[in-house]
Amino acid sequence: MVPEPGPAEAAGRPRRSGAARAGRPHAAWALPGVLFFGFFAVVPMGLAFYLSFTSWDGLGDPKPVGLANWQKLIEDDRMVQSLWLTVLLTAVSWAFQTVIALLLGVWAAGRQRNRAVLSAIFFVPFLLSSTAIALLFYALLDPNFGIIQQNILGSSSGAFLAIVFVGGWQFIPFHTLIYQGGARQIPEVLYQAAAIDGAGRYRQFFSITLPQLRHTITTSTVLMVVGSLTYFETVLILTKGGPGTDTAILPYLMYEAGFKSYDFGYASAIASFLVLVATVLSLILVRLTGFGGMRSTREGM
């Protein structure tokens, strides 16, 4: 039995696909973004991975050395210290930034007076470059001319906490914006029902807001982890890896290997290791939190 032609065929118009009827953009629209990402991200990572198996001082042609750089990476004592410092910096930065950004984001999602103006002011530090912010705080923390007449950057704990604070001052506004968007998507009916049941503001926060923001927290955490693993400008300007090697995290160790020792093969091995660690940690976070199984486009639905 032959089906009867639909209105589109009867009028002489070709039948459109489901994607076209739904108003979805064609895949060709993603081509510029894919090309940009491939040229500026995938290709450099591929070149760095290739150089990690070579010996190259920046001049001439790279010479293949097999797994020598990776073996050096495993046996390097400074590598162990830098890895520990990087993990510690990531954990402390996450705790510091998440607590403040979450509270500010939930507050900014409310209807209080002057919320929009204050939110815009909070976002200003993120608009500045990391280099400018590091230079600003380097001047403020100068023991002779700064606002604090103590050599904070001269002690191990002081230098480490200074890096955590400066990084938080810059990136907390960005994560605040993420949490603000997530909090606005939580259905208001949940809070209304909780208020009828007698739940106070704190009970609503821990029983409704936090559970409903679980995917937002995952997104923010992945961005924080990747950002902390690639932290560099602030360390270079504020502490230069010091005092001694007490703040020489992996990105700074990579910088020293490449631009001080001119061992770009070993520096590329460190860079490739950072990419692998960041990728594995991101996949673990997404897997453990169930973020990959989320189907709704709205937080809390």
Side-chain angles (χ1 to χ4, degrees), residues 234-299:
T234 303
V235 176
L236 175 65
I237 296 174
L238 276 184
T239 66
K240 294 181 175 60
T245 58
D246 291 337
T247 57
I249 58 177
L250 284 178
Y252 186 80
L253 189 65
M254 175 184 65
Y255 161 77
E256 283 192 331
F259 295 96
K260 286 189 175 182
S261 300
Y262 296 102
D263 189 354
F264 289 99
Y266 184 51
S268 298
I270 299 176
S272 301
F273 177 74
L274 277 172
V275 172
L276 292 175
V277 171
T279 303
V280 170
L281 287 179
S282 300
L283 293 176
I284 291 175
L285 287 172
V286 170
R287 180 70 175 179
L288 293 178
T289 57
F291 183 85
M294 183 178 64
R295 292 293 180 266
S296 174
T297 58
R298 290 185 59 189
E299 186 78 77

Side-chain angles (χ1 to χ4, degrees), residues 102-138:
L102 177 60
L103 294 177
L104 286 176
V106 173
W107 172 84
R111 299 184 177 89
Q112 58 275 4
R113 192 176 184 182
N114 298 326
R115 173 188 51 80
V117 176
L118 292 175
S119 298
I121 295 175
F122 291 157
F123 197 73
V124 169
F126 185 71
L127 302 178
L128 305 176
S129 68
S130 299
T131 303
I133 292 175
L135 289 172
L136 171 64
F137 278 94
Y138 183 79

Side-chain angles (χ1 to χ4, degrees), residues 52 67-83 250 253-254 257 265-274 276-277:
S52 67
L67 297 174
N69 290 321
W70 290 92
Q71 183 177 358
K72 180 181 178 180
L73 189 71
I74 298 174
E75 299 174 351
D76 192 351
D77 294 335
R78 289 196 61 190
M79 177 65 186
V80 177
Q81 181 192 21
S82 296
L83 180 60
L250 284 178
L253 189 65
M254 175 184 65
Y266 184 51
S268 298
I270 299 176
S272 301
F273 177 74
L274 277 172
L276 292 175
V277 171

Side-chain angles (χ1 to χ4, degrees), residues 2-285:
V2 180
E4 296 182 1
E9 288 80 354
R13 298 192 303 269
R15 177 177 293 180
R16 296 183 299 174
S17 64
R21 289 196 302 270
R24 298 174 184 173
H26 196 274
W29 289 101
L31 186 60
V34 172
L35 292 177
F36 184 87
F37 178 78
F39 185 77
F40 290 101
V42 177
V43 172
M45 284 191 293
L47 290 176
F49 188 71
Y50 163 74
L51 289 176
S52 67
F53 297 98
T54 66
S55 175
W56 188 45
D57 60 358
L59 300 175
D61 296 327
K63 299 179 181 178
V65 294
L67 297 174
N69 290 321
W70 290 92
Q71 183 177 358
K72 180 181 178 180
L73 189 71
I74 298 174
E75 299 174 351
D76 192 351
D77 294 335
R78 289 196 61 190
M79 177 65 186
V80 177
Q81 181 192 21
S82 296
L83 180 60
W84 161 246
L85 287 173
T86 304
V87 172
L88 184 62
L89 176 65
T90 301
V92 176
S93 297
W94 176 85
F96 174 62
Q97 295 183 32
T98 298
V99 172
I100 298 178
L102 177 60
L103 294 177
L104 286 176
V106 173
W107 172 84
R111 299 184 177 89
Q112 58 275 4
R113 192 176 184 182
N114 298 326
R115 173 188 51 80
V117 176
L118 292 175
S119 298
I121 295 175
F122 291 157
F123 197 73
V124 169
F126 185 71
L127 302 178
L128 305 176
S129 68
S130 299
T131 303
I133 292 175
L135 289 172
L136 171 64
F137 278 94
Y138 183 79
L140 293 176
L141 295 176
D142 187 280
N144 298 316
F145 307 102
I147 59 176
I148 301 177
Q149 301 299 316
Q150 294 181 0
N151 189 12
I152 295 178
L153 300 178
S155 64
S156 301
S157 58
F160 182 84
L161 292 177
I163 293 173
V164 172
F165 177 80
V166 173
W169 190 82
Q170 179 181 9
F171 293 108
I172 282 176
F174 173 71
H175 295 282
T176 297
L177 188 64
I178 294 177
Y179 286 116
Q180 180 184 7
R184 286 183 175 178
Q185 297 300 317
I186 301 176
E188 186 66 25
V189 66
L190 297 179
Y191 295 102
Q192 295 172 355
I196 293 175
D197 291 339
R201 181 176 299 179
Y202 294 102
R203 181 62 182 273
Q204 292 179 18
F205 176 79
F206 288 103
S207 299
I208 298 177
T209 306
L210 278 182
Q212 293 295 317
L213 288 178
R214 61 189 183 279
H215 295 308
T216 305
I217 294 174
T218 302
T219 302
S220 175
T221 298
V222 171
L223 293 174
M224 285 186 188
V225 168
V226 174
S228 298
L229 290 175
T230 57
Y231 216 43
F232 172 69
E233 300 98 323
T234 303
V235 176
L236 175 65
I237 296 174
L238 276 184
T239 66
K240 294 181 175 60
T245 58
D246 291 337
T247 57
I249 58 177
L250 284 178
Y252 186 80
L253 189 65
M254 175 184 65
Y255 161 77
E256 283 192 331
F259 295 96
K260 286 189 175 182
S261 300
Y262 296 102
D263 189 354
F264 289 99
Y266 184 51
S268 298
I270 299 176
S272 301
F273 177 74
L274 277 172
V275 172
L276 292 175
V277 171
T279 303
V280 170
L281 287 179
S282 300
L283 293 176
I284 291 175
L285 287 172

